[in-house]
Amino acid sequence: MNGLLVDSNIILDVFLDDPLWADWSEATLSEYASHTPLYINQIIYSEISIGFKKVEELEIAIASGGFQMLEIPKEALFLAGKAFLNYRKQKGEKRSPLPDFFIGAHAAVSDIALITRDKKRYQSYFPTVNIISPEY
């Protein structure tokens, strides 16, 4: 595995000790961290910032979690826009914001797996991405 892009919902499960998902998210991150790099990007960084009062606290949490910042390639930015356009043309629900398309496109273009609790949405628009998610 080339690495694992970790969606913000997984990280926030752990950082905020979500009563439903923290155990699954923490165990899954621990399992993969032992043999593959865990990545976030600028979008995920921004989304997880909601759980912190200061950037310094966020930086410490990211470092202690073993997450590495991975820049979003231009090809992924382009693909995100095209996937979002396709979503809107299909009259997609307005609950899927553009940031999710950046994350999915980043995983697709970089050929890295994605860990998320939003499996269905990502699979719909980025079918080549290996998605790791809990079974509902």
Side-chain angles (χ1 to χ4, degrees), residues 68-126:
Q68 300 173 45
M69 184 66 80
L70 193 61
E71 298 294 318
I72 303 173
K74 288 180 184 176
E75 295 83 3
L77 299 172
F78 185 84
L79 178 59
K82 296 302 179 191
F84 188 72
L85 180 61
N86 185 35
Y87 164 79
R88 296 302 300 185
K89 283 180 179 176
Q90 294 179 14
K91 307 271 191 250
E93 297 175 19
K94 293 191 178 191
R95 68 178 198 83
S96 248
L98 183 56
D100 289 346
F101 289 88
F102 288 122
I103 294 166
H106 189 180
V109 167
S110 298
D111 192 27
I112 56 178
L114 173 65
I115 181 171
T116 183
R117 286 193 281 106
D118 295 328
K119 180 178 183 174
K120 185 177 178 182
R121 183 177 329 142
Y122 286 110
Q123 277 187 329
S124 295
Y125 293 94
F126 305 100

Side-chain angles (χ1 to χ4, degrees), residues 16-33:
L16 302 178
D17 197 23
D18 183 276
L20 294 175
W21 293 108
D23 290 342
W24 183 89
S25 294
E26 188 169 353
T28 304
L29 288 173
S30 293
E31 174 188 341
Y32 284 95

Side-chain angles (χ1 to χ4, degrees), residues 38-84:
L38 300 177
Y39 296 118
I40 63 171
N41 61 27
Q42 300 93 326
I43 304 299
I44 296 165
Y45 184 98
S46 180
E47 290 179 333
I48 64 176
S49 73
I50 67 167
F52 298 87
K53 291 189 188 312
K54 297 181 178 182
V55 69
E56 295 83 6
E57 294 170 356
L58 175 56
E59 287 292 322
I60 290 168
I62 288 170
S64 67
F67 301 105
Q68 300 173 45
M69 184 66 80
L70 193 61
E71 298 294 318
I72 303 173
K74 288 180 184 176
E75 295 83 3
L77 299 172
F78 185 84
L79 178 59
K82 296 302 179 191
F84 188 72

